[in-house]
Amino acid sequence: MHVTPDTPPRPKRRYARRLPVEQRREHLLDAALRVIARDGYESVSIEAIAQEAGVTRPVVYSAYDGLEPLLHALLDRTQRRALASALRLMPQPGGDQDVAEWALEAYAALLDIVRKEPDVWRPVLGLTRNAPAVVRDRIDATRDLIRGYLADAFQEGLERRHASAHDSKEVDVDLLAHLTLVTAEEFARLTLEDPDRYDKDRLLATIETLLSSFTDR
Amino acid sequence: MHVTPDTPPRPKRRYARRLPVEQRREHLLDAALRVIARDGYESVSIEAIAQEAGVTRPVVYSAYDGLEPLLHALLDRTQRRALASALRLMPQPGGDQDVAEWALEAYAALLDIVRKEPDVWRPVLGLTRNAPAVVRDRIDATRDLIRGYLADAFQEGLERRHASAHDSKEVDVDLLAHLTLVTAEEFARLTLEDPDRYDKDRLLATIETLLSSFTDR
DNA sequence: CGCTGAACCTACAGTGGTGTAGCAAAGAGG
DNA sequence: CCTCTTTGCTACACCACTGTAGGTTCAGCG
């Protein structure tokens, strides 16, 4: 008669598919993103990512030096994807389009982009709660960057107007940039959370009204 | 000759002042708030709170059933303090003040309140990063509540205008409430983060311009 | 002044994550 | 078919926090 051990010697893990480091890195970033999307930032750990990726922790450590570097890399990737398209919305240096017109088009384009790639934008827009310090700092820095571009764009656009017509309304460009960005984020969030209720036309109509206060008359 | 142990038997903790449960609870909430303000939400733990309060963990457990209930209580307290003053800004039911006028005054009052009690408002405005799920959910719910009030106020105010003058401009009250709230939060943040740069007058001037687009003409 | 109960403390067992050393398997090249 | 390198796995030591059982202190009251 033989003894059955109370914990049968676990059937030994099956070997995961072998990947060169670079591919493994991508693989891990994808896994991390899935974890974040599913369970939120508070549940992200080397352990969780390894498990999601179907791999053991040492594998993760061989690709990244720890959780922070990994998240950092994930942010880099996201930034390349999201920031790039955001900046593309900025007015062309040589363009002579009217500011209000440009702003409206930029909003429209943004909403399109966001709805097309929700997985890229959701974490950016803070829908994924509890981002750790690294993440928040990065997002904040990016936000500042964009706001700077926005302020410049408004400044230039309004000056050009000034030159042609001579309506000398004083506008606080800095605050305008703040408001524009905050509004854009809120609207993007609304589009993501409830696309049916907050459709593009509805959002844009309100934006138009809003813009008029700064640029009309 | 006697042996000096390598770890000298720690001099036995001094007894903390004894407090009845209710007072201890307040004490712990204060400690928790300090921890959050100093180290952020990600560092909040029973352990950290106990230490900050100069007390051992079992004491915390005798006051609250764990971290979540404690944070919940902290939120209740904050809500009593913050939400109350926020709701007081809403227009009086019997009042017949103009909407735009009221909105501007409410903004002004909000900025005053926020600057007067930064410790109450900082966590509410999300300046303290990484709020755990409980906290975020609560803040979100409160935000929804306030937005509801806002929407009602605008609806009513605009209808009254409609009645007297007959400027029948269509306004998306729901979105207007969204924008108002988001703007208020951003401005409150700005006031808290850089009061010199973003003084009250500057912020209010921009608000006034903004409001005009929805209510003028 | 001694008792008693409320309020604290110490100590321990449990859980889940970290980071690393060293062995095992895959699979490419001879 | 054997060998060597690369990639993955197991196993361990460690840490921080959780939750609780059981002993200790102190303040108030008879």
Side-chain angles (χ1 to χ4, degrees):
Chain A
M1 108 198 274
H2 75 274
V3 177
T4 308
D6 39 332
T7 48
R10 190 176 3 107
K12 220 174 191 185
R13 186 190 190 91
R14 224 183 116 184
Y15 257 60
R17 202 165 126 240
R18 298 191 164 207
L19 297 178
V21 206
E22 276 312 318
Q23 279 184 46
R24 180 59 78 198
R25 280 200 241 265
E26 284 301 303
H27 178 215
L28 289 175
L29 292 188
D30 291 341
L33 197 53
R34 281 199 302 277
V35 172
I36 290 170
R38 177 161 31 82
D39 308 326
Y41 275 106
E42 72 268 32
S43 315
V44 165
S45 65
I46 297 281
E47 176 65 32
I49 295 173
Q51 194 166 335
E52 175 72 30
V55 114
T56 57
R57 273 180 296 121
V59 174
V60 181
Y61 281 105
S62 67
Y64 293 102
D65 286 344
L67 188 59
E68 282 224 354
L70 191 156
L71 288 179
H72 209 71
L74 179 56
L75 286 175
D76 283 339
R77 201 180 72 168
T78 303
Q79 204 169 52
R80 274 196 300 278
R81 293 182 182 176
L83 181 59
S85 22
L87 288 183
R88 221 169 292 134
L89 299 179
M90 292 297 144
Q92 304 308 318
D96 56 351
Q97 197 180 21
D98 181 73
V99 219
E101 210 175 305
W102 161 75
L104 197 61
E105 282 179 19
Y107 266 106
L110 177 68
L111 293 180
D112 285 340
I113 295 176
V114 168
R115 293 187 62 165
K116 195 182 274 175
E117 301 187 297
D119 290 345
V120 172
W121 289 89
R122 216 176 286 274
V124 173
L125 292 171
L127 287 185
T128 304
R129 306 310 201 183
N130 301 6
V134 229
V135 179
R136 297 303 294 237
D137 289 351
R138 179 71 82 87
I139 293 182
D140 285 352
T142 307
R143 205 199 310 275
D144 287 348
L145 179 68
I146 293 186
R147 198 188 306 114
Y149 277 104
L150 268 179
D152 289 349
F154 283 129
Q155 182 70 45
E156 198 187 324
L158 289 174
E159 270 169 10
R160 199 164 49 228
R161 272 200 175 186
H162 247 237
S164 55
H166 39 313
D167 50 350
S168 62
K169 181 136 179 291
E170 295 244 340
V171 172
D172 193 323
V173 176
D174 183 20
L175 282 183
L176 177 55
H178 268 281
L179 288 181
T180 307
L181 187 52
V182 164
T183 304
E185 290 180 28
E186 178 73 3
F187 278 20
R189 268 193 291 272
L190 290 178
T191 302
L192 277 181
E193 282 180 346
D194 196 342
D196 295 332
R197 181 161 170 187
Y198 298 103
D199 59 290
K200 195 174 159 188
D201 289 343
R202 178 175 176 195
L203 295 176
L204 288 184
T206 298
I207 289 293
E208 203 167 5
T209 311
L210 192 69
L211 282 171
S212 69
S213 69
F214 284 93
T215 57
D216 277 11
R217 84 187 68 178
Chain B
M1 123 197 258
H2 76 272
V3 178
T4 308
D6 39 331
T7 48
R10 190 173 7 104
K12 218 173 193 186
R13 186 190 191 93
R14 225 184 116 182
Y15 257 58
R17 201 165 128 241
R18 292 182 172 217
L19 296 179
V21 206
E22 275 312 317
Q23 279 186 45
R24 181 59 78 200
R25 279 199 242 264
E26 283 302 300
H27 179 216
L28 289 175
L29 293 189
D30 291 340
L33 198 53
R34 283 199 301 277
V35 172
I36 291 170
R38 178 161 29 81
D39 308 325
Y41 276 104
E42 71 268 33
S43 314
V44 165
S45 64
I46 297 281
E47 175 66 30
I49 295 173
Q51 194 166 336
E52 174 73 29
V55 112
T56 56
R57 274 180 294 119
V59 174
V60 181
Y61 281 106
S62 68
Y64 294 101
D65 286 344
L67 188 58
E68 282 224 354
L70 192 156
L71 288 180
H72 209 70
L74 179 57
L75 286 175
D76 282 339
R77 202 179 73 167
T78 303
Q79 204 169 51
R80 274 196 301 279
R81 292 182 182 176
L83 181 59
S85 24
L87 289 183
R88 220 170 292 135
L89 300 179
M90 291 296 144
Q92 304 308 318
D96 55 349
Q97 199 181 20
D98 182 74
V99 220
E101 210 175 304
W102 160 74
L104 196 60
E105 282 178 20
Y107 265 107
L110 178 68
L111 293 180
D112 285 340
I113 294 177
V114 168
R115 292 186 62 165
K116 194 182 274 177
E117 302 187 298
D119 290 344
V120 172
W121 288 89
R122 215 177 287 274
V124 173
L125 292 170
L127 289 184
T128 304
R129 307 309 201 188
N130 300 7
V134 228
V135 180
R136 297 304 294 237
D137 289 350
R138 180 71 83 89
I139 292 182
D140 285 352
T142 306
R143 205 199 309 275
D144 286 349
L145 178 68
I146 292 186
R147 199 187 306 114
Y149 277 104
L150 269 178
D152 289 349
F154 283 128
Q155 183 70 44
E156 198 186 324
L158 289 175
E159 270 169 11
R160 198 164 50 226
R161 270 201 175 184
H162 248 237
S164 56
H166 40 310
D167 50 347
S168 63
K169 181 135 181 291
E170 295 241 343
V171 172
D172 193 323
V173 176
D174 184 20
L175 281 183
L176 177 55
H178 269 280
L179 287 181
T180 306
L181 186 53
V182 163
T183 304
E185 289 179 28
E186 177 73 4
F187 278 20
R189 269 193 291 272
L190 290 177
T191 303
L192 277 181
E193 281 180 347
D194 197 341
D196 295 331
R197 181 161 171 188
Y198 298 103
D199 60 290
K200 195 173 156 189
D201 289 343
R202 179 175 176 194
L203 295 176
L204 288 184
T206 298
I207 289 293
E208 204 167 3
T209 311
L210 190 69
L211 284 173
S212 70
S213 70
F214 283 93
T215 58
D216 277 11
R217 88 185 68 174

